[in-house]
Amino acid sequence: MKHFNPKPYRISALLLSVLLAFLLCGCQNEKPAQAASPFSDVTWEYSIEDVQAYENTEPGTYDSVYGGLCYTYPKSYDTFEGTVKYMFDGNGKLMCIAWTCSSEEEQVLYDFYDKIEAAVNAKNDDSPAVTDKISNAGHVWYREDGNIILSLMLTSDLKALQYSYLHPDVSSPPKE
């Protein structure tokens, strides 16, 4: 008479239980939140405290257009010295990340604008736009995960470029 050995069945049952528990509890690796911009690794889920810890320096602040505060920090991007701005709404939710720089030389800003525009076009499969050299230029990329706005402002008093990423909640679809 054969003797019944329960060990292989226990091991199989244990492995099946672990696999089933793993699938049911959703323990699969979740995708990390997408970086909000190329000049900051901060994501839309960051709180004010998270941003302050990430930047690790004392911020400047002013009222945000979204009803909360805007936190500003000095930030270099692509060899330019500028300022990164994290704009929060009244509930402490991050709504916009923007980087701004200025230069006395208009052509430097035109060239940098063209470089950023080409890079964002390539990443978002847009066709390159022809840019006439005018005193103010702008481009909006309408995306489901938040719009990107690139703007160039040139006046006798101000020569600045701003590169912004908007949270999807404050982004709008293109006008038809």
Side-chain angles (χ1 to χ4, degrees):
M1 179 166 139
K2 266 187 158 178
H3 187 292
F4 176 71
N5 185 355
K7 277 189 178 180
Y9 295 104
R10 286 184 190 159
I11 292 171
S12 296
L14 178 62
L15 287 174
L16 186 58
S17 298
V18 169
L19 180 61
L20 187 58
F22 181 75
L23 292 173
L24 290 176
C25 77
C27 297
Q28 300 120 353
N29 289 336
E30 290 185 24
K31 280 178 115 177
Q34 182 178 351
S37 69
F39 43 82
S40 173
D41 292 328
V42 168
T43 64
W44 297 128
E45 291 79 26
Y46 271 52
S47 67
I48 294 167
E49 293 78 18
D50 294 334
V51 167
Q52 290 172 331
Y54 171 78
E55 290 295 340
N56 198 26
T57 186
E58 194 63 33
T61 59
Y62 60 88
D63 290 339
S64 166
V65 296
Y66 302 105
L69 283 179
C70 179
Y71 296 81
T72 64
Y73 301 89
K75 177 76 82 173
S76 296
Y77 173 63
D78 196 77
T79 72
F80 284 85
E81 295 298 320
T83 301
V84 65
K85 301 181 267 185
Y86 300 99
M87 298 175 206
F88 288 86
D89 70 7
N91 296 319
K93 185 175 179 182
L94 183 59
M95 294 286 114
C96 177
I97 300 173
W99 182 82
T100 305
C101 71
S102 63
S103 174
E104 292 299 315
E105 299 295 321
E106 289 182 13
Q107 190 59 49
V108 168
L109 290 177
Y110 281 127
D111 293 344
F112 194 39
Y113 179 96
D114 290 343
K115 181 179 179 179
I116 293 171
E117 184 177 53
V120 178
N121 279 338
K123 200 176 244 185
N124 289 282
D125 297 326
D126 274 359
S127 57
V130 176
T131 306
D132 291 332
K133 300 301 182 207
I134 55 174
S135 62
N136 296 299
H139 192 144
V140 178
W141 291 266
Y142 298 94
R143 305 172 328 143
E144 285 184 24
D145 58 343
N147 294 347
I148 299 172
I149 301 173
L150 179 61
S151 55
L152 180 64
M153 291 93 21
L154 301 170
T155 68
S156 58
D157 297 329
L158 174 69
K159 294 171 182 58
L161 177 143
Q162 182 163 296
Y163 188 10
S164 305
Y165 280 66
L166 300 179
H167 189 282
D169 290 352
V170 295
S171 293
S172 58
K175 294 184 180 181
E176 307 221 1

